[in-house]
């Protein structure tokens, strides 16, 4: 670098080296919220080849949008904001990214050290703001003359690695700038950045642990339980082979992405939430449970995992401990696919005759018991979805309804939800981030969840997004909880929403339609998907 | 307390003691966001006599609403949310409350210790989440049988004191609960809580510092500069008396609340932003500047404070250091009113003859120079406001336009803004919080500021709130900055908003009108105020 750039050009060149380094390390997407102090970085991003930039005003929406995109791509997305409360708006998405294992690179612009803590405008203590919610925080210095651009691209590569392995999650980079923020003259084009060629280990399970587990499972009745887990090519086939070999059922949540697709689904149990709590005795008690992925969503499956079993084994590739029921006997930190393959190779003998059949028989009796309107909505929606469609499902009731009533079929579908912290915040923005990555999305969201992130609709324009807002008159999840008996229930918990979704859709340029649950809804969703562009469909549930 | 309550009743009784203690210590308002884990606290709040409860879905809006109410009342407001990202949504308002010195009591419900860090639903590390942004964080234990209710009411009193003195700001209370969350049987009424009678010192200035300052000011030309400062009864009169005695001008920002009212305004300079940068030489250089309140908003006043002066004295009642220009010579931590009175008593001789007159003459020449449509909007708005009306003004351009063009009159008006961190987030919610406290509000906000907090309109129903959304096609503040010259300007900074405010208003039940700047706008605002209820008036600016 020349040693006497004007400050504006220095700020820009420094930003070019940092952003170029992130792109060289594999980043492909950035979400920018406008601001003044962040100008050098925003300019470097907008001028960076190979970086897809989205501009979103509300930093909370911006971060959730990046979260959705990174969740779909499994690749870190950049989020940029200017100094002050702008940065604070990221925290909800940062928490979700931390708990859900989604890689994000959060870059906050800042005032320089001499303006910290003395009442300067839009200035607060930013380094460390996200505490233990981030994998790392890089408190950068102000750009300095004659800087080593390789040092910046190496830091960028390190930030990408920290956001990716061993536990994907958010990384914070705080970058102070001195004024002026704009280059005084024309700037050079982005130089080609080199990166560090990083590689990550194959997470093979400990052979001794596999041998011990195979021995404990051999010849005994058992269950495989699959919650939300990051996609791993070949896992669906491998776990199906394992279940076939063991003659055991797989209790698969929608977020496991095992329910829909052309792989072998013959061992799947998918209606458990309709019968398991009442009929557990009839199907018999498992001697072992092999868990993959996050702790389950539904109370029935949580109840099953809360009982005592001789073997309760969890397979998790990430350095975390997912056992709120306190029932684990074995924890295998390894790739789920590799564990399936290793157990198949160990070839424990199958479960006793009749074990699998009794579970499959119990489950088949519950295919058509959808009594409530919400329950009937789910099959209508499933029927409307084209093969390969990504579906984002909201908290809290929608994801449970999908779990209970979506069933299973050979049409491939891909499900996403914010289940790291299970918040009702940022769900619209997260869904739109998935649309940015996949080219389309269908989102199933409750009315309060929609209202919480209504400003997120600002990023819908031009996207193939169909948002189903299920209007059940407020927080329907609470109607299933003891709070429903309180005299203060309606005011304090149900909180019937009073947003007019027709006008909300039109405020942000979405087409709007309204429907009750029925075949017309299927047609409406199909037509919306076929016509492209953003749509909001309000689904009204008769009470 | 009886020693064998069922867990639900224990949770509720414990919550009653805590909330009762807060109310006994002077809290009068709570903002509740619905959730399950927070049920015992929400129930205790809804049943607490003397506590005004508001229910708001979006926790970010809820916290900004509470911030607005507490800013107006100077009394801590409670914010309640359930566990998980719900709590994280508070951070922007927490930062603003910290930097602006607004008292808040943030109560987060939490899972108990045995469910921490093991993948339980809606569970994250909450104690310490706000780091150095809060005055204190109380990590409570789960309710225990036979608890001492006086210990809880004492903790409540301590939290209120920490939120109030010596530097008002946010205090975090994290309260874990075990299930069940609902009392098994009918609960007793709220017992009367006693509190600790706290008193705070009169912040009299150090007599030696006053003597030194008076000597340095005596007989020399000087200026009083007043930025945003918390209201102190009698300050307007005292600072006017001081200016008269010293024969010096007062450069008063709107947020000082000195510009409008029946006190002596004869020494005020209010058009400085239109002439000071160009004409400073003509009025002469001050030998001393006496500052009250926050660092100024406008570049012209910032420039004046950035020059070297023999005496640059700042009076601040709070333990902070507000001097981004690095020019302070004296810092008096004391009550602004007491400093005025002490300086008057010290009776330094007045400035040289003609000093005051030259400033007043320079200022009077700039009353009618409103050239842009935005500039002309301000007097039309001032004309429409009834006496005593609270006005909330948004960041970033609106507050500068108000500063430049609002002038001064004997009609009392009260101005508020979020100038702690000067964010464009949460401005609608903050204004509505002021309406909750004062019974009405008029808010002047830019289009992007409105869009950022559009979901905040959900709390408008039933309130006498008139929101003026100034549509200048995006981030007009940037048109005044060097970014405007960039080829990427429109996409990356101006970001013309594409929200339809008519539909946004109707989505949340506000009446809507649209107007250009002119006398019709004055009529429209007056009619909206007179008719009551929430209104959104879109003000379109011709370019």
């Amino acid at each position: 670098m020349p040693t006497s750039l004007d400050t504006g050009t220095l700020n820009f060149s420094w930003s070019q080296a940092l952003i170029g380094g992130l792109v060289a390390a594999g980043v492909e997407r950035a979400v920018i919220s406008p601001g003044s102090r962040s100008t050098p970085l925003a300019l470097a991003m907008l001028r960076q080849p190979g970086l897809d930039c989205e501009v979103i005003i509300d930093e909370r929406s911006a971060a959730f949008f990046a979260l959705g995109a990174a969740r779909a791509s499994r690749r870190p997305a950049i989020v940029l904001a200017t100094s002050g409360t702008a940065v604070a708006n990221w925290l909800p998405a940062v928490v979700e990214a931390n708990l859900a294992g989604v890689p994000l690179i959060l870059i906050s612009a800042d005032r320089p050290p001499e303006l910290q803590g003395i009442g300067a405008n839009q200035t607060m203590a930013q380094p460390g703001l996200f505490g233990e919610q981030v994998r790392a925080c890089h408190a950068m210095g102000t750009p300095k003359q004659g800087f080593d651009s390789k040092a910046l691209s190496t830091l960028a590569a390190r930030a990408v690695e920290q956001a990716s392995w061993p536990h994907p999650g958010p990384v914070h980079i705080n970058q102070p700038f001195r004024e002026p923020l704009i280059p005084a003259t024309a700037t050079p084009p982005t130089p080609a950045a080199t990166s560090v060629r990083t590689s990550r280990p194959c997470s093979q399970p400990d052979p001794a642990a596999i041998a011990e587990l195979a021995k404990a499972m051999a010849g005994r009745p058992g269950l495989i339980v699959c919650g939300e887990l990051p996609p791993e090519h070949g896992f669906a086939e491998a776990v199906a082979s394992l279940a076939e070999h063991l003659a055991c059922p797989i209790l698969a949540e929608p977020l496991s992405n095992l329910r829909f697709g052309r792989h072998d689904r013959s061992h799947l149990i998918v209606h458990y939430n309709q019968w398991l709590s009442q009929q557990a005795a009839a199907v018999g008690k498992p001697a072992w449970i092999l868990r993959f992925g996050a702790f389950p969503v539904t109370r029935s499956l949580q109840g099953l995992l809360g009982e005592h079993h001789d073997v309760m084994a969890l397979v998790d590739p990430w350095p975390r401990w997912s056992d709120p029921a306190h029932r684990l006997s074995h924890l295998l930190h390894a790739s789920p696919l590799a564990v399936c393959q290793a157990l198949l190779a160990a070839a424990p003998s199958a479960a006793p005759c009749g074990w699998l059949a009794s579970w499959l028989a119990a489950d088949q009796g519950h295919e058509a018991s959808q009594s409530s309107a919400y329950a009937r909505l789910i099959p209508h929606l499933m029927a409307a979805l084209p093969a390969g469609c990504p579906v984002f499902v909201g908290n809290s009731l929608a994801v449970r309804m999908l779990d209970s009533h979506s069933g299973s079929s050979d049409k491939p579908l891909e499900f996403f939800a914010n289940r790291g912290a299970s918040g009702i915040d940022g769900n619209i923005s997260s869904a739109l981030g998935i649309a940015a990555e996949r080219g389309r999305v269908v989102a199933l969201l409750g009315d309060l969840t929609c209202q919480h992130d209504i400003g997120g609709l600002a990023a819908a324009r031009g996207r193939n997004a169909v948002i189903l807002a299920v209007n059940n008159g407020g927080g329907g999840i609470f109607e299933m909880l003891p709070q429903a008996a309180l005299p203060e229930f309606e005011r304090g918990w149900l909180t019937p929403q009073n947003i007019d979704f027709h006008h909300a859709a039109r405020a942000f340029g979405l087409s709007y339609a309204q429907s009750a649950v029925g075949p017309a809804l299927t047609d409406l969703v199909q037509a919306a998907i076929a016509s492209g562009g953003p749509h909001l469909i309000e689904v009204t549930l008769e009470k």
Side-chain angles (χ1 to χ4, degrees), chain A:
Chain A
M1 280 291 132
T3 53
S4 60
L5 300 174
D6 69 272
T7 300
T9 302
L10 173 63
N11 288 333
F12 176 71
S13 299
W14 175 281
S15 299
Q16 270 187 322
L18 181 64
I19 301 306
L22 290 169
V23 171
V27 173
E28 296 180 350
R29 181 177 299 282
V31 185
I32 300 171
S33 296
S36 177
R37 190 60 51 160
S38 53
T39 293
L41 286 160
L43 204 55
M45 290 180 187
L46 291 167
R47 294 182 180 177
Q48 171 67 48
L51 189 66
D52 188 335
C53 295
E54 184 74 23
V55 177
I56 296 180
I57 303 295
D58 178 349
E59 298 83 8
R60 181 173 70 175
S61 294
F64 273 113
F65 184 96
L67 175 92
R71 195 189 279 281
S73 69
R74 308 304 309 167
R75 188 184 285 276
I78 298 172
V79 194
L80 173 69
T82 195
S83 64
T85 53
V87 181
N89 280 276
W90 288 340
L91 184 58
V94 170
V95 169
E96 175 63 21
N98 171 22
L99 295 175
V102 178
L104 288 180
I105 305 282
L106 307 144
I107 311 183
S108 53
D110 201 354
R111 260 65 176 175
E114 61 271 20
L115 293 180
Q116 298 294 330
I118 47 172
N121 197 31
Q122 294 188 334
T123 306
M124 62 169 186
Q126 293 181 185
L129 183 68
F130 301 117
E132 55 188 293
Q133 299 296 328
V134 289
R135 301 283 177 267
C137 173
H138 299 273
M140 308 287 283
T142 50
K144 66 175 185 202
Q145 296 287 353
F147 67 87
D148 176 4
S149 64
K150 178 66 180 165
L152 283 172
S153 65
T154 300
L155 181 134
R158 186 155 63 101
V160 167
E161 191 66 4
Q162 290 166 326
S164 306
W165 184 86
H167 191 184
V171 168
H172 182 199
I173 299 176
N174 190 66
Q175 178 60 64
F177 291 112
R178 295 200 171 91
E179 294 185 349
L181 302 166
I182 307 277
T185 56
T187 56
T190 303
T194 59
S195 192
V196 180
R197 295 175 62 85
T198 56
S199 69
R200 292 153 202 165
C202 310
S203 293
Q204 294 296 330
D206 177 354
I210 291 292
E212 184 188 332
L213 191 58
K215 189 177 166 192
M217 295 161 83
R220 305 172 75 195
L223 300 173
I224 296 174
V225 175
C226 289
E228 182 189 23
L229 73 178
E232 193 179 13
H233 186 71
F235 174 73
E237 292 76 12
V239 74
S241 298
L242 181 63
E244 185 177 12
H245 178 86
L246 294 168
C248 75
I250 304 173
L251 282 68
E253 296 196 315
L255 296 174
S256 71
N257 282 318
L258 294 177
R259 286 198 188 180
F260 292 82
R262 299 197 185 90
H263 54 280
D264 172 14
R265 295 173 296 104
S266 61
H267 291 63
L268 293 193
I269 302 292
V270 296
H271 304 294
Y272 46 78
N273 202 37
Q274 294 177 58
W275 62 267
L276 187 57
S277 303
Q278 295 79 39
Q279 286 176 250
V283 287
K285 192 171 163 62
W288 58 262
I289 292 182
L290 179 61
R291 273 183 59 203
F292 295 94
F295 201 70
V297 169
T298 56
R299 292 248 166 180
S300 61
L301 220 42
Q302 291 175 0
L304 176 69
L305 299 185
E307 293 166 18
H308 177 78
H309 304 281
D310 287 349
V311 175
M312 174 73 77
L314 170 62
V315 181
D316 196 331
W318 292 338
R320 58 177 182 178
W321 192 288
S322 171
D323 177 36
H326 307 105
R327 289 291 176 272
L328 275 196
S329 62
H330 296 70
L331 174 55
L332 284 81
H333 275 135
S335 139
L337 171 61
V339 168
C340 290
Q341 292 169 335
L343 282 174
L344 271 171
S349 52
C353 188
W355 169 250
L356 174 63
S358 74
W359 279 80
L360 292 175
D363 205 50
Q364 277 157 15
H366 291 272
E367 274 172 17
S369 65
Q370 285 90 13
S371 55
S372 75
Y374 209 146
R376 284 182 284 112
L377 158 62
I378 304 296
H380 285 294
L381 174 59
M382 294 299 110
L385 297 170
C389 187
V391 179
F392 183 91
V393 58
N395 295 314
S396 293
L397 191 52
V399 69
R400 292 185 170 80
M401 285 296 174
L402 185 82
D403 203 311
S404 298
H405 305 292
S406 63
S408 171
S409 90
D410 62 358
K411 179 167 67 181
L413 293 173
E414 190 182 18
F415 293 96
F416 299 93
N418 284 354
R419 292 300 297 179
S422 304
I424 64 164
D425 44 353
N427 280 216
I428 286 176
S429 301
S430 301
L432 293 173
I434 289 165
E437 198 60 41
R438 290 284 190 271
R440 61 180 173 175
V441 78
V442 171
L444 176 70
L445 307 173
D447 50 359
L448 294 188
T449 304
C450 279
Q451 180 180 329
H452 204 294
D453 191 26
I454 200 70
L457 291 177
R461 204 170 290 259
R463 294 192 197 287
N464 296 323
V466 178
I467 297 169
L468 277 79
V470 183
N471 192 342
N472 59 348
I477 188 83
F478 293 118
E479 294 187 319
M480 304 180 170
L481 296 177
Q483 281 86 339
L486 294 170
E488 296 89 349
F489 173 64
E490 180 166 331
R491 180 177 176 212
W493 285 268
L494 182 64
T495 52
Q497 52 73 32
N498 53 22
I499 184 171
D500 180 319
F501 283 112
H502 180 193
H503 287 294
R506 294 194 60 187
F508 291 101
L510 286 81
S511 81
Y512 170 86
Q514 185 266 335
S515 173
V517 175
L521 177 61
T522 304
D523 298 344
L524 203 54
V525 173
Q526 282 180 325
I529 293 171
S531 71
H535 302 262
L536 192 150
I537 298 175
E538 181 175 5
V539 184
T540 47
L541 300 186
E542 63 275 32
K543 285 279 184 174

